Amino acid sequence: MTWPEDTETHDPTLPLAGVRVLDLSRVLAGPLAATVLADLGADVIKVEAPEGDETRRWGPPFHGADAAYYLAINRNRRAMVLDLREPADLDVVKSLAAECDVVIENFLPRQLMSLGLDAVRDSSPHAVWVSIRGASSSGPLGDLPGYDAMAQARSGIMSVTGHELTGPTKVGFPVVDVVTGLYAAIGALGALLGRHADQGRRAARVEVPLFECGVSALINQAANHLVGGAVPGLIGNLHPNVAPYGPMPTADGQIVIGATSNRQFAALCAAVGRPALADDPQFADNASRLAHRVKLDDLLAATFVREPTKVWEAELGRAAVACAPVNRLDEVFLEDQVSAAGLVQTAKHPHGEVKLVASPLRIDGQRPPIRRAPPLLGEHTAAIRDALGVVAPPG
């Protein structure tokens, strides 16, 4: 029994061409990790329970029977339905695991054992095994389920997001799931490199916990606490370490500015017609600007509000000062950069063409293409079974 090769969308020019990935995960972090590998050329087979990945139902909006949420993170793979409670279907997973390079799963430890997937893992020592968890198995939370919102709350991300009027808020997209998915892909790639360097050893088992990934994503906020004991309050869109840095009101909206050095601050002040601010002792360096941030922001806001956003974009652009409009999503996809970069691609789908955000990477000047639209539930089950020589169960 051999891995059923995907001759239809195989691209030998991509860096992971020839790498085989078995995706047993669902929802976001695991499928996203598989998508990163698939975008780079890996051959991914997604295995779903008969009811399918939950995100297929997380709509509206829908494209055919599948929610946009599912479409966002399940491109460039084939999909089959297997009931892992059935011994014959578990044998199919075991056969695929025996032929693949990476397995990605996000079962709770007790689910992994009850389904017999721990035995599948142990019988496939050559395969990098990537386990996504709510929290590390070495701690008291390791056996508990986890979702992005809970990880944002427990990791402290919510405590530094929002302002006095809103109270703590979560980030407006599943940031911990995304960070976890990216760490999972990195862990898989690192383990593949390690396996290549020492082909005699068992492939690594990589655990990727949401909680720990959320804490790691705090970056400077975590360091501010560990080094300086800071317990930050809710400062909204302000930066805890840099000023001026954040949104300014304009005549027709908002623009985000950032001046992270004295040179940049002087350039900003000159560009907005307030060069004297750069010579004011209250704003002489970043520490001074932080100490007098409220006054500085008020002075700058009184200037920015006089002109539209586009005017300030042009002025600050000429001065090489970092800035950006606060776009709505419809405005994001009207940005010239999106079209020029080919970030949105159209994929052929059984229910009609669908537009998707492609990989943000460029490899040798080219963006990896969407080679296959997100598959329908069980779309390739029969073909994969045939290739494996496995007879489908009756009924």
Side-chain angles (χ1 to χ4, degrees), residues 86-104:
E86 297 293 333
D89 280 2
L90 185 63
D91 284 344
V92 175
V93 168
K94 186 175 181 179
S95 297
L96 291 170
E99 298 286 340
C100 75
D101 300 289
V102 179
V103 178
I104 301 173

Side-chain angles (χ1 to χ4, degrees), residues 29-191:
L32 177 60
T35 293
V36 173
L37 303 180
D39 286 345
L40 293 172
D43 182 4
V44 177
I45 293 179
K46 179 183 180 75
V47 172
E48 297 175 75
E51 62 271 19
D53 190 318
E54 294 96 311
T55 60
R56 290 183 183 272
R57 301 180 291 278
W58 286 5
F62 290 92
H63 185 76
D66 292 324
Y69 197 119
Y70 164 81
L71 298 176
I73 46 174
N74 284 280
R75 62 182 176 268
N76 288 339
R77 72 200 64 196
R78 292 172 289 171
M80 68 183 306
V81 167
L82 294 173
D83 188 344
L84 301 189
R85 296 166 296 185
E86 297 293 333
D89 280 2
L90 185 63
D91 284 344
V92 175
V93 168
K94 186 175 181 179
S95 297
L96 291 170
E99 298 286 340
C100 75
D101 300 289
V102 179
V103 178
I104 301 173
E105 54 87 10
N106 61 352
F107 292 97
L108 293 173
R110 62 178 181 272
Q111 294 172 330
L112 196 79
M113 295 182 65
S114 67
L115 290 170
L117 286 171
D118 56 333
V120 173
R121 179 192 61 203
D122 294 342
S123 67
S124 305
H126 68 287
V128 173
W129 194 279
V130 179
S131 299
I132 294 169
R133 301 284 184 262
S136 171
S137 59
S138 61
L141 304 176
D143 289 327
L144 299 179
Y147 284 102
D148 176 85
M150 293 74 187
Q152 288 199 43
R154 191 182 291 274
S155 68
I157 290 175
M158 284 181 62
S159 78
V160 296
T161 308
H163 49 75
E164 292 181 359
L165 295 178
T166 65
T169 65
K170 73 178 188 66
V171 179
F173 70 98
V175 61
V176 176
D177 270 338
V178 171
V179 170
T180 302
L182 296 176
Y183 267 118
I186 292 168
L189 292 171

Side-chain angles (χ1 to χ4, degrees), residues 227-259:
V227 175
V231 181
L234 297 171
I235 58 174
N237 294 315
L238 301 178
H239 195 293
N241 301 102
V242 179
Y245 193 107
M248 286 286 160
T250 66
D252 61 353
Q254 288 187 315
I255 188 169
V256 172
I257 62 168

